[in-house]
Coordinates of all heavy atoms in Angstrom, one line a residue:
M56 N -26.8 13.3 -24.0 CA -26.1 14.1 -23.0 C -26.2 15.6 -23.3 O -26.6 16.0 -24.4 CB -24.6 13.7 -23.0 CG -23.8 14.2 -24.2 SD -22.0 13.8 -24.0 CE -21.4 15.3 -23.2
H57 N -25.9 16.4 -22.3 CA -26.0 17.9 -22.5 C -24.8 18.5 -21.8 O -24.1 17.9 -21.1 CB -27.3 18.4 -21.8 CG -27.4 18.1 -20.3 ND1 -28.1 17.0 -19.9 CD2 -26.9 18.7 -19.3 CE1 -28.0 17.0 -18.5 NE2 -27.2 18.0 -18.2
C58 N -24.6 19.8 -22.2 CA -23.5 20.5 -21.7 C -23.7 20.8 -20.2 O -24.7 21.2 -19.7 CB -23.4 21.9 -22.4 SG -22.1 23.0 -21.8
I59 N -22.6 20.6 -19.4 CA -22.7 20.8 -18.0 C -22.8 22.2 -17.6 O -23.4 22.6 -16.6 CB -21.4 20.2 -17.3 CG1 -21.4 18.7 -17.5 CG2 -21.2 20.6 -15.9 CD1 -20.0 18.0 -17.2
N60 N -22.2 23.1 -18.5 CA -22.2 24.5 -18.2 C -23.6 25.2 -18.5 O -24.1 26.0 -17.7 CB -21.1 25.1 -19.0 CG -20.9 26.6 -18.6 OD1 -20.9 27.0 -17.5 ND2 -20.8 27.4 -19.7
C61 N -24.1 24.9 -19.7 CA -25.3 25.7 -20.1 C -26.5 24.8 -20.4 O -27.5 25.3 -20.7 CB -24.9 26.5 -21.4 SG -24.7 25.4 -22.8
Q62 N -26.3 23.5 -20.2 CA -27.4 22.5 -20.3 C -27.9 22.4 -21.8 O -28.9 21.7 -22.0 CB -28.7 22.9 -19.4 CG -28.3 23.3 -18.0 CD -27.6 22.2 -17.3 OE1 -27.9 21.0 -17.4 NE2 -26.6 22.6 -16.5
S63 N -27.2 23.0 -22.7 CA -27.5 22.8 -24.1 C -27.3 21.4 -24.6 O -26.3 20.8 -24.1 CB -26.7 23.8 -24.9 OG -26.8 23.5 -26.3
K64 N -28.1 21.0 -25.5 CA -27.8 19.7 -26.2 C -27.1 19.9 -27.5 O -27.0 18.9 -28.3 CB -29.1 18.9 -26.3 CG -29.6 18.4 -25.0 CD -30.8 17.5 -25.1 CE -31.2 17.0 -23.8 NZ -32.6 16.4 -23.8
N65 N -26.7 21.1 -27.8 CA -26.1 21.4 -29.1 C -24.6 21.1 -29.0 O -23.7 22.0 -29.0 CB -26.3 22.9 -29.4 CG -25.9 23.2 -30.8 OD1 -25.7 22.3 -31.6 ND2 -25.9 24.5 -31.1
L66 N -24.3 19.8 -28.9 CA -22.9 19.4 -28.7 C -22.4 18.7 -30.0 O -23.1 17.9 -30.6 CB -22.8 18.4 -27.5 CG -23.1 18.9 -26.1 CD1 -23.1 17.8 -25.2 CD2 -22.2 20.0 -25.7
G67 N -21.1 19.0 -30.3 CA -20.5 18.3 -31.4 C -19.4 17.4 -30.9 O -18.8 17.7 -29.9
K68 N -19.3 16.3 -31.6 CA -18.3 15.3 -31.1 C -17.0 15.5 -31.9 O -16.9 15.5 -33.1 CB -18.8 13.9 -31.4 CG -18.0 12.8 -30.7 CD -18.7 11.5 -30.8 CE -18.1 10.5 -29.8 NZ -18.8 9.2 -29.7
I69 N -15.9 15.8 -31.1 CA -14.6 16.1 -31.7 C -13.8 14.8 -31.9 O -13.2 14.5 -32.9 CB -13.8 17.0 -30.8 CG1 -14.5 18.3 -30.6 CG2 -12.4 17.2 -31.4 CD1 -13.8 19.2 -29.5
A70 N -13.9 13.9 -30.9 CA -13.2 12.6 -30.9 C -14.0 11.8 -29.9 O -14.9 12.2 -29.2 CB -11.8 12.9 -30.4
P71 N -13.6 10.5 -29.8 CA -14.2 9.6 -28.8 C -14.1 10.2 -27.4 O -13.0 10.6 -27.0 CB -13.5 8.3 -28.9 CG -13.0 8.3 -30.3 CD -12.7 9.7 -30.7
D72 N -15.2 10.4 -26.7 CA -15.2 11.0 -25.3 C -14.7 12.4 -25.3 O -14.2 12.9 -24.3 CB -14.3 10.1 -24.4 CG -14.8 8.7 -24.2 OD1 -16.1 8.6 -24.3 OD2 -14.0 7.8 -23.9
H73 N -14.9 13.1 -26.4 CA -14.4 14.5 -26.4 C -15.5 15.3 -27.2 O -15.7 15.0 -28.4 CB -13.1 14.6 -27.1 CG -12.3 15.8 -26.9 ND1 -11.1 16.0 -27.3 CD2 -12.7 17.0 -26.4 CE1 -10.7 17.3 -27.0 NE2 -11.7 17.9 -26.5
Y74 N -16.1 16.3 -26.6 CA -17.2 17.0 -27.2 C -17.0 18.5 -27.1 O -16.2 19.0 -26.3 CB -18.5 16.7 -26.4 CG -18.9 15.2 -26.4 CD1 -18.3 14.4 -25.4 CD2 -19.7 14.6 -27.3 CE1 -18.6 13.0 -25.3 CE2 -20.0 13.3 -27.3 CZ -19.4 12.5 -26.3 OH -19.7 11.2 -26.3
Y75 N -17.7 19.2 -28.0 CA -17.6 20.7 -28.0 C -19.0 21.2 -28.0 O -19.9 20.8 -28.7 CB -16.9 21.1 -29.3 CG -16.7 22.6 -29.4 CD1 -15.7 23.2 -28.8 CD2 -17.5 23.4 -30.2 CE1 -15.4 24.5 -28.8 CE2 -17.3 24.7 -30.3 CZ -16.3 25.3 -29.6 OH -16.0 26.7 -29.7
C76 N -19.2 22.2 -27.1 CA -20.5 22.9 -27.0 C -20.5 24.1 -27.9 O -19.8 25.0 -27.7 CB -20.8 23.3 -25.5 SG -22.4 24.1 -25.4
W77 N -21.5 24.0 -28.8 CA -21.6 25.1 -29.8 C -22.3 26.3 -29.2 O -22.4 27.4 -29.7 CB -22.4 24.7 -31.0 CG -21.6 23.7 -31.8 CD1 -21.8 22.3 -31.9 CD2 -20.5 24.0 -32.7 NE1 -20.9 21.8 -32.7 CE2 -20.1 22.7 -33.2 CE3 -19.8 25.1 -33.1 CZ2 -19.0 22.6 -34.1 CZ3 -18.7 25.0 -33.9 CH2 -18.4 23.8 -34.5
N78 N -22.9 26.1 -28.0 CA -23.7 27.2 -27.4 C -22.8 28.1 -26.5 O -22.9 29.3 -26.6 CB -24.8 26.6 -26.5 CG -25.8 27.6 -26.1 OD1 -26.4 28.3 -27.0 ND2 -26.1 27.7 -24.8
C79 N -21.9 27.5 -25.7 CA -21.1 28.3 -24.8 C -19.6 28.1 -25.1 O -18.7 28.6 -24.4 CB -21.4 28.0 -23.4 SG -21.0 26.3 -22.8
F80 N -19.2 27.4 -26.2 CA -17.9 27.3 -26.7 C -16.9 26.7 -25.7 O -15.8 27.3 -25.5 CB -17.4 28.7 -27.2 CG -18.4 29.3 -28.1 CD1 -19.0 30.5 -27.7 CD2 -18.6 28.8 -29.3 CE1 -19.9 31.1 -28.5 CE2 -19.5 29.4 -30.2 CZ -20.2 30.6 -29.8
I81 N -17.3 25.6 -25.1 CA -16.3 24.9 -24.2 C -16.2 23.5 -24.7 O -17.0 23.0 -25.4 CB -16.8 24.9 -22.7 CG1 -18.1 24.2 -22.6 CG2 -16.8 26.3 -22.2 CD1 -18.5 23.9 -21.1
E82 N -15.1 22.9 -24.3 CA -14.8 21.5 -24.6 C -15.1 20.6 -23.4 O -14.7 21.0 -22.3 CB -13.4 21.3 -25.1 CG -13.1 21.9 -26.4 CD -11.7 21.5 -26.9 OE1 -11.1 20.6 -26.4 OE2 -11.2 22.2 -27.9
L83 N -15.7 19.5 -23.6 CA -15.9 18.5 -22.6 C -15.2 17.2 -22.9 O -15.4 16.6 -23.9 CB -17.4 18.2 -22.5 CG -18.3 19.4 -22.2 CD1 -19.7 19.1 -22.7 CD2 -18.4 19.7 -20.7
R84 N -14.3 16.8 -22.0 CA -13.5 15.6 -22.1 C -13.9 14.6 -21.1 O -13.9 14.9 -19.9 CB -12.0 15.8 -22.0 CG -11.4 16.3 -23.3 CD -9.9 16.5 -23.1 NE -9.6 17.6 -22.2 CZ -9.0 17.4 -21.0 NH1 -8.7 16.2 -20.6 NH2 -8.9 18.4 -20.2
K85 N -14.3 13.4 -21.5 CA -14.7 12.4 -20.5 C -13.6 11.5 -20.2 O -12.9 11.0 -21.1 CB -15.9 11.6 -21.1 CG -16.5 10.7 -20.1 CD -17.9 10.2 -20.7 CE -17.7 9.1 -21.7 NZ -19.0 8.6 -22.2
K86 N -13.3 11.4 -18.9 CA -12.1 10.5 -18.5 C -12.5 9.9 -17.2 O -12.8 10.5 -16.2 CB -10.9 11.4 -18.3 CG -9.6 10.6 -18.3 CD -8.5 11.6 -18.2 CE -7.1 10.9 -18.1 NZ -6.0 11.8 -17.9
H87 N -12.5 8.6 -17.1 CA -12.9 7.8 -15.9 C -14.2 8.3 -15.4 O -14.4 8.5 -14.2 CB -11.8 8.0 -14.9 CG -10.4 7.6 -15.3 ND1 -10.1 6.3 -15.9 CD2 -9.2 8.3 -15.4 CE1 -8.9 6.3 -16.2 NE2 -8.3 7.4 -15.9
D88 N -15.2 8.4 -16.3 CA -16.6 8.8 -15.9 C -16.7 10.2 -15.3 O -17.7 10.5 -14.6 CB -17.2 7.7 -15.0 CG -17.5 6.5 -15.7 OD1 -17.6 6.5 -17.0 OD2 -17.6 5.4 -15.1
I89 N -15.7 11.0 -15.4 CA -15.8 12.4 -15.0 C -15.5 13.3 -16.2 O -14.6 13.0 -17.0 CB -14.7 12.7 -13.9 CG1 -14.9 11.8 -12.7 CG2 -14.7 14.2 -13.6 CD1 -16.0 12.3 -11.8
F90 N -16.3 14.3 -16.4 CA -16.0 15.3 -17.5 C -15.0 16.3 -17.0 O -15.1 16.8 -15.9 CB -17.3 16.0 -17.9 CG -18.2 15.2 -18.8 CD1 -19.4 14.7 -18.3 CD2 -17.8 14.9 -20.1 CE1 -20.2 14.0 -19.2 CE2 -18.6 14.1 -20.9 CZ -19.8 13.7 -20.5
H91 N -14.1 16.6 -17.9 CA -13.2 17.7 -17.7 C -13.6 18.8 -18.7 O -13.8 18.6 -19.8 CB -11.7 17.3 -17.9 CG -11.3 16.3 -16.9 ND1 -10.7 16.6 -15.7 CD2 -11.4 14.9 -17.0 CE1 -10.5 15.5 -15.1 NE2 -10.9 14.4 -15.8
I92 N -13.7 20.1 -18.1 CA -14.3 21.1 -18.9 C -13.1 22.1 -19.2 O -12.4 22.6 -18.3 CB -15.4 21.8 -18.2 CG1 -16.5 20.8 -17.9 CG2 -16.0 23.0 -19.0 CD1 -16.8 20.6 -16.5
D93 N -13.0 22.5 -20.5 CA -12.0 23.5 -20.9 C -12.6 24.5 -21.8 O -13.5 24.3 -22.6 CB -10.9 22.8 -21.7 CG -10.1 21.8 -20.9 OD1 -9.5 22.2 -19.9 OD2 -10.0 20.6 -21.4
E94 N -12.2 25.8 -21.5 CA -12.6 26.9 -22.4 C -11.4 27.1 -23.4 O -10.3 27.1 -23.0 CB -12.8 28.1 -21.5 CG -13.3 29.3 -22.3 CD -13.6 30.5 -21.4 OE1 -13.1 30.5 -20.3 OE2 -14.3 31.4 -21.8
V95 N -11.8 27.3 -24.6 CA -10.8 27.6 -25.6 C -10.5 29.1 -25.7 O -11.4 29.8 -26.0 CB -11.2 27.0 -27.0 CG1 -10.1 27.2 -28.0 CG2 -11.6 25.6 -26.9
D96 N -9.3 29.4 -25.3 CA -8.9 30.8 -25.3 C -8.8 31.4 -26.8 O -8.7 30.6 -27.7 CB -7.6 31.0 -24.5 CG -7.5 32.4 -23.8 OD1 -8.4 33.2 -24.2 OD2 -6.6 32.6 -23.0
L97 N -8.7 32.7 -26.9 CA -8.6 33.3 -28.2 C -7.3 32.8 -29.0 O -7.3 32.7 -30.2 CB -8.6 34.8 -28.1 CG -9.9 35.4 -27.7 CD1 -9.7 36.9 -27.5 CD2 -11.0 35.1 -28.6
D98 N -6.3 32.5 -28.2 CA -5.0 32.1 -28.9 C -5.0 30.6 -29.1 O -4.0 30.0 -29.5 CB -3.8 32.6 -28.1 CG -3.7 32.0 -26.7 OD1 -4.6 31.1 -26.4 OD2 -2.8 32.3 -26.0
G99 N -6.1 29.9 -28.8 CA -6.2 28.5 -29.0 C -5.8 27.6 -27.8 O -5.9 26.4 -27.9
S100 N -5.3 28.2 -26.8 CA -4.9 27.4 -25.6 C -6.2 27.1 -24.8 O -7.2 27.8 -24.9 CB -3.9 28.2 -24.8 OG -4.4 29.4 -24.3
L101 N -6.1 26.1 -24.0 CA -7.2 25.7 -23.2 C -7.1 26.1 -21.7 O -6.0 26.1 -21.1 CB -7.3 24.1 -23.2 CG -7.5 23.5 -24.5 CD1 -7.5 22.0 -24.4 CD2 -8.9 23.9 -25.1
L102 N -8.2 26.6 -21.2 CA -8.3 27.1 -19.8 C -9.2 26.1 -19.1 O -10.4 26.0 -19.5 CB -8.9 28.5 -19.8 CG -8.1 29.7 -19.9 CD1 -8.9 30.9 -20.2 CD2 -7.2 29.9 -18.7
S103 N -8.7 25.5 -18.1 CA -9.6 24.5 -17.4 C -10.6 25.2 -16.6 O -10.4 26.2 -15.9 CB -8.7 23.7 -16.4 OG -9.5 22.8 -15.7
L104 N -11.9 24.7 -16.7 CA -13.0 25.3 -15.9 C -13.4 24.3 -14.8 O -14.5 24.5 -14.2 CB -14.1 25.6 -16.8 CG -13.9 26.6 -17.9 CD1 -15.2 26.9 -18.7 CD2 -13.4 28.0 -17.4
D105 N -12.6 23.3 -14.6 CA -13.0 22.2 -13.7 C -13.4 22.8 -12.3 O -14.2 22.3 -11.6 CB -11.9 21.2 -13.5 CG -11.8 20.3 -14.7 OD1 -12.6 20.5 -15.7 OD2 -11.0 19.4 -14.8
D106 N -12.6 23.8 -11.9 CA -12.8 24.4 -10.5 C -14.2 25.0 -10.3 O -14.6 25.2 -9.2 CB -11.8 25.4 -10.2 CG -10.4 24.8 -10.1 OD1 -10.3 23.6 -10.0 OD2 -9.4 25.6 -10.1
L107 N -14.9 25.3 -11.4 CA -16.2 25.9 -11.3 C -17.3 24.9 -11.0 O -18.4 25.3 -10.7 CB -16.5 26.7 -12.6 CG -15.5 27.8 -13.1 CD1 -16.0 28.4 -14.3 CD2 -15.4 28.8 -12.0
F108 N -17.0 23.7 -11.1 CA -18.0 22.6 -11.0 C -17.6 21.6 -9.9 O -16.4 21.4 -9.8 CB -18.3 21.9 -12.3 CG -18.7 22.8 -13.4 CD1 -17.7 23.4 -14.2 CD2 -20.0 23.2 -13.6 CE1 -18.0 24.2 -15.3 CE2 -20.3 24.0 -14.6 CZ -19.4 24.6 -15.5
T109 N -18.5 21.1 -9.2 CA -18.2 20.0 -8.3 C -18.0 18.7 -9.0 O -18.4 18.6 -10.2 CB -19.3 19.8 -7.3 OG1 -20.5 19.3 -8.0 CG2 -19.7 21.1 -6.5
E110 N -17.3 17.8 -8.4 CA -17.1 16.5 -9.0 C -18.5 15.8 -9.3 O -18.6 15.1 -10.3 CB -16.3 15.6 -8.1 CG -15.8 14.3 -8.9 CD -14.7 13.6 -8.1 OE1 -13.7 14.2 -7.7 OE2 -14.9 12.4 -7.9
A111 N -19.4 16.0 -8.4 CA -20.8 15.4 -8.6 C -21.4 16.0 -9.9 O -22.0 15.2 -10.7 CB -21.7 15.7 -7.4
E112 N -21.2 17.3 -10.1 CA -21.8 17.9 -11.3 C -21.1 17.4 -12.6 O -21.7 17.3 -13.7 CB -21.6 19.4 -11.3 CG -22.6 20.1 -10.3 CD -22.3 21.6 -10.2 OE1 -21.2 22.0 -10.0 OE2 -23.3 22.3 -10.4
R113 N -19.8 17.0 -12.5 CA -19.0 16.6 -13.6 C -19.1 15.1 -13.9 O -18.6 14.7 -14.9 CB -17.6 17.0 -13.5 CG -17.4 18.5 -13.5 CD -16.0 19.0 -13.6 NE -15.2 18.8 -12.3 CZ -14.2 17.9 -12.2 NH1 -13.8 17.2 -13.2 NH2 -13.6 17.8 -11.1
R114 N -19.7 14.4 -13.0 CA -19.8 12.9 -13.2 C -20.7 12.6 -14.3 O -21.8 13.1 -14.5 CB -20.3 12.3 -11.9 CG -20.1 10.8 -11.8 CD -20.4 10.2 -10.5 NE -19.5 10.7 -9.5 CZ -18.3 10.2 -9.2 NH1 -17.9 9.2 -10.0 NH2 -17.5 10.7 -8.3
V115 N -20.3 11.6 -15.1 CA -21.1 11.1 -16.2 C -22.3 10.4 -15.7 O -22.1 9.5 -14.9 CB -20.2 10.2 -17.1 CG1 -21.1 9.7 -18.3 CG2 -19.0 11.0 -17.7
Q116 N -23.5 10.7 -16.2 CA -24.7 10.1 -15.7 C -25.2 9.0 -16.6 O -25.0 9.1 -17.8 CB -25.8 11.1 -15.5 CG -25.5 12.0 -14.3 CD -26.3 13.3 -14.4 OE1 -27.2 13.4 -15.1 NE2 -25.8 14.3 -13.6
Ligands
ZN215 ZN1 -22.5 24.7 -23.2

């Protein structure tokens, strides 16, 4: 698999169905075959980036 945002394959696995992109610093969570994308803010809170992508783009292939 690769990062939906930057297409990098430099992904680390945080937990089952939960990945971190070391290239663009976002988290990818897989739920019901759809990825949910979160940016980690400086204070550690998560900002959802789901709105930036269509559901088709986020679908697990
Ligand atoms: Zn990325």
Side-chain angles (χ1 to χ4, degrees):
M56 71 174 270
H57 59 263
C58 176
I59 292 167
N60 186 47
C61 69
Q62 314 301 322
S63 165
K64 290 187 174 165
N65 192 11
L66 297 174
K68 194 166 191 175
I69 302 170
D72 297 331
H73 197 171
Y74 302 87
Y75 185 77
C76 178
W77 292 104
N78 194 54
C79 64
F80 311 113
I81 61 170
E82 290 187 18
L83 299 156
R84 274 181 297 113
K85 188 165 76 177
K86 196 174 177 189
H87 305 305
D88 287 338
I89 298 281
F90 280 113
H91 296 271
I92 301 119
D93 293 305
E94 182 176 22
V95 184
D96 210 349
L97 290 176
D98 64 4
S100 60
L101 295 176
L102 275 166
S103 178
L104 301 181
D105 286 0
D106 291 348
L107 301 181
F108 303 91
T109 65
E110 189 168 308
E112 286 176 308
R113 293 190 287 116
R114 190 171 297 279
V115 178
Q116 291 160 16

